[in-house]
Amino acid sequence: MSRRLPAVTFLLLLAVLRAAEPVSYQRLLQAAREPGNWLLYSGNYASHRHSRLAQITAANVRKLQPLWVYQFRTAQKVETSPLAVDDVLYLTSPPNDVVALDAATGRKLWSYEYKVPDRVPACCGVVNRGLAILDGRLFMATVDAYLVALDLRSGRLLWKTKLADYEQGYSATSAPLVIRDKVLLGVSGGEYGVRGFLDAYDAATGQRAWRFYTVPGPGDPGFDTWAGDSWKTGGAPAWLTGSYDAELNLAYFTTGNPGPDWNGEARAGDNLYSNSVLALQPDTGKLVWHFQFTPHDIHDWDATQIPVLADAVLRGRPRKLLLHANRNGFFYALDRASGEFLLAKPFVKQTWAKGIDDRGRPIRLPDTAPSLEGTKLWPGVNGGTNWYSPSYSPATGLFYVAAQEQGTVYFTASAEYRPGSLFLGGTNQPAERGYGAVRALVPATGEVRWEHRLVTPPWAGLLSTAGNLVFGGTEEGNFFALDARTGQHLWSYPAGGRIIANPISYLSRGRQYVAIAAGDLLVAFGLGPE
């Protein structure tokens, strides 16, 4: 439902939204030409999470201060990444409310409240990471596995479409991706033995256009990579937002772990398309190519990290690259036109693989599988990095990733599938306290150009800017800025709570803002006086 607004707020809303132009597909394609707005979950279709705004720079970032704060009415984790469109912010509040705020003041313009069932199976919290926009509609996935469309100006519900049965363990937590007239979205639920899929829906009606199962069924290519009936509970959900290359007309989505997580005995084989990146035609859902990072994963190393698209010279010639810092501890570069494997190099400590062969397959070391007595291994179960976003700066040519340095002791156990119940096949415990780092990687080599150490492993994404800055956050609630070229720490601020979200930057009333969710707050920073 949408709430009625006070008269003053309503007049402000009209003034703001009347000036807004429809966010057409053409505007989304050219998002980089609108540095004052943040039109897609990752900033642009290439998922650079980079702002071309340069009002805030390495020289003046010390003057950054909070200009306004919005408080969420929730006790859940806040992982939202707002959209900024023509002086309005659109964001989700967990589990599935939507709020429109004046971008310069944080004043609420309208809100939409979605009723979530009392009990929803969700391994990692009833969360939502953001929205997609097209023309006069906002699109949100829900933790009970629906896709809803809202009117941009009022928050009124336009349509609601069921993805799957949440009581079977399906959920949806990611920001959708709009391509032309379709809304692309995957599901969560890999820890519940679901059969993962990626869908496309008509943006105007909510009618499903196509479905691609990330676990092949009988007669499908890749079906022979699952033993027996294990494909029925294979997991491999596409639970994070994808990227898109309009010139190649390919959408890139990554997939999660197979089920059960830590016991692979009943699912012998590579278990396609788990732990993979999929290149699909967005109009039809046809798979053009795939690459599997961790065949037959038994350590819960989802490959759902955001794929970043960038162009660089590699192996002596210009390449259209797909860059991926993977949860398994390796940084990869692929040719995004063909899927050809080009490069893999560890970016964190890893003790499970001797290396990656010329085909891109890991060369596993012995005695690294989960065991009854426990197997100590790096990276840990949370991976070398996780779902939070990396950043790529066209200005520096560097790929920035928030890394986790922590080992895990992995235990295996039997796993019995029961619909709507956890389907893990083991457990784990930390092997050490661990630490974190922001690392700048050279895409063509995987070399670490610089690093900034963090006290604890991070759960916050990164933002790079044309002002020669990289923004990030910590578990302790510190929001900070680094020099994008050297990693030098330039500024930090205690933001008021644990930071487990991705920052954005936008322009409103001529002023650059940087916004981040921290604890139960959304904090917008801008330059203050000397």
Side-chain angles (χ1 to χ4, degrees):
M1 61 178 290
S2 298
R3 290 185 171 180
R4 291 187 176 181
L5 302 171
V8 174
T9 303
F10 182 71
L11 292 174
L12 175 62
L13 172 64
L14 286 179
V16 171
L17 292 184
R18 279 174 179 166
E21 296 179 10
V23 181
S24 65
Y25 172 61
Q26 289 301 314
R27 282 188 72 182
L28 296 177
L29 280 175
Q30 300 172 9
R33 299 183 184 179
E34 296 188 38
N37 289 323
W38 193 273
L39 301 180
L40 294 112
Y41 174 76
S42 297
N44 60 7
Y45 275 126
S47 296
H48 288 172
R49 198 162 282 274
H50 175 81
S51 172
R52 294 172 63 188
L53 296 175
Q55 190 180 103
I56 303 168
T57 69
N60 64 20
V61 69
R62 68 187 184 280
K63 297 191 293 182
L64 208 61
Q65 63 183 39
L67 298 181
W68 59 259
V69 173
Y70 175 80
Q71 184 161 23
F72 297 95
R73 295 182 177 180
T74 183
Q76 303 292 338
K77 296 187 295 183
V78 181
E79 299 182 353
T80 189
S81 181
L83 300 179
V85 186
D86 302 329
D87 291 312
V88 180
L89 294 188
Y90 302 96
L91 57 148
T92 56
S93 173
N96 280 123
D97 297 339
V98 181
V99 183
L101 304 177
D102 181 276
T105 66
R107 185 170 188 173
K108 185 162 67 174
L109 303 176
W110 58 254
S111 64
Y112 166 81
E113 297 178 0
Y114 181 88
K115 175 62 176 174
V116 173
D118 292 336
R119 182 190 175 276
V120 176
C123 77
C124 312
V126 284
V127 300
N128 185 275
R129 298 185 177 94
L131 303 161
I133 189 171
L134 180 68
D135 297 325
R137 297 179 176 88
L138 292 168
F139 305 95
M140 176 181 65
T142 72
V143 292
D144 58 342
Y146 281 85
L147 176 64
V148 300
L150 306 178
D151 179 81
L152 181 69
R153 295 178 181 270
S154 66
R156 178 174 58 90
L157 179 67
L158 298 175
W159 53 254
K160 175 181 175 182
T161 297
K162 185 176 181 178
L163 308 178
D165 184 357
Y166 77 90
E167 293 184 323
Q168 301 294 309
Y170 289 91
S171 59
T173 59
S174 65
L177 182 70
V178 170
I179 300 177
R180 295 191 184 87
D181 60 348
K182 293 182 175 61
V183 185
L184 277 63
L185 177 69
V187 290
S188 303
E191 276 63 57
Y192 290 87
V194 304
R195 183 188 179 196
F197 59 82
L198 178 70
D199 281 351
Y201 294 88
D202 184 279
T205 66
Q207 182 177 357
R208 194 171 83 196
W210 53 259
R211 170 167 291 179
F212 180 86
Y213 279 104
T214 54
V215 178
D220 294 334
F223 175 66
D224 59 352
T225 65
W226 295 87
D229 288 336
S230 62
W231 64 277
K232 295 179 179 179
T233 55
W239 59 267
L240 207 58
T241 310
S243 306
Y244 176 58
D245 184 318
E247 182 179 339
L248 297 173
N249 193 31
L250 290 177
Y252 306 93
F253 279 81
T254 47
T255 63
N257 60 276
D261 296 46
W262 300 301
N263 187 334
E265 291 183 1
R267 53 172 172 85
D270 282 355
N271 305 144
L272 291 173
Y273 295 97
S274 67
N275 301 79
S276 299
V277 58
L278 310 174
L280 302 106
Q281 293 178 346
D283 303 305
T284 63
K286 178 184 177 182
L287 180 66
V288 176
W289 60 259
H290 76 276
F291 179 85
Q292 190 174 40
F293 300 98
T294 312
H296 191 73
D297 174 32
I298 48 177
H299 298 102
D300 192 20
W301 287 332
D302 299 66
T304 48
Q305 297 72 52
I306 295 283
V308 174
L309 314 183
D311 298 340
V313 175
L314 199 154
R315 294 188 179 179
R317 65 183 181 90
R319 294 273 193 171
K320 292 182 175 294
L321 298 177
L322 184 148
L323 308 175
H324 190 77
N326 193 271
R327 189 163 163 176
N328 70 13
F330 284 86
F331 169 78
Y332 293 81
L334 309 176
D335 186 301
R336 69 176 183 267
S338 65
E340 178 188 358
F341 167 75
L342 300 173
L343 170 74
K345 187 171 183 177
F347 68 96
V348 295
K349 178 180 178 180
Q350 68 84 23
T351 60
W352 69 281
K354 182 179 180 181
I356 307 295
D357 70 18
D358 291 341
R359 298 176 299 157
R361 292 181 67 90
I363 306 168
R364 295 178 186 266
L365 292 168
D367 303 320
T368 56
S371 59
L372 293 175
E373 64 277 11
T375 303
K376 185 186 295 186
L377 210 64
W378 283 261
V381 69
N382 293 327
T385 189
N386 209 282
W387 67 266
Y388 41 84
S389 293
S391 176
Y392 171 79
S393 170
T396 64
L398 296 174
F399 178 97
Y400 304 99
V401 60
Q404 298 201 19
E405 291 283 6
Q406 187 174 41
T408 286
V409 180
Y410 294 87
F411 299 89
T412 191
S414 60
E416 179 183 355
Y417 173 72
R418 295 192 302 275
S421 298
L422 288 169
F423 186 54
L424 301 178
T427 186
N428 65 86
Q429 64 184 33
E432 58 180 349
R433 184 171 181 269
Y435 67 94
V438 176
R439 290 184 174 138
L441 309 182
V442 179
T445 64
E447 166 203 353
V448 177
R449 176 67 56 84
W450 57 255
E451 79 162 18
H452 172 73
R453 291 280 293 263
L454 303 173
V455 175
T456 50
W459 284 91
L462 302 175
L463 166 75
S464 63
T465 76
N468 190 38
L469 295 167
V470 173
F471 289 92
T474 72
E475 286 285 274
E476 295 77 22
N478 290 316
F479 190 50
F480 60 83
L482 310 175
D483 186 297
R485 294 167 298 189
T486 66
Q488 179 186 357
H489 183 273
L490 300 174
W491 169 88
S492 64
Y493 186 89
R498 181 186 180 205
I499 301 178
I500 46 174
N502 297 313
I504 70 162
S505 188
Y506 63 92
L507 199 69
S508 184
R509 321 295 206 268
R511 185 178 221 167
Q512 182 182 356
Y513 293 79
V514 178
I516 185 69
D520 62 352
L521 305 174
L522 181 74
V523 187
F525 295 87
L527 293 176
E530 289 286 356

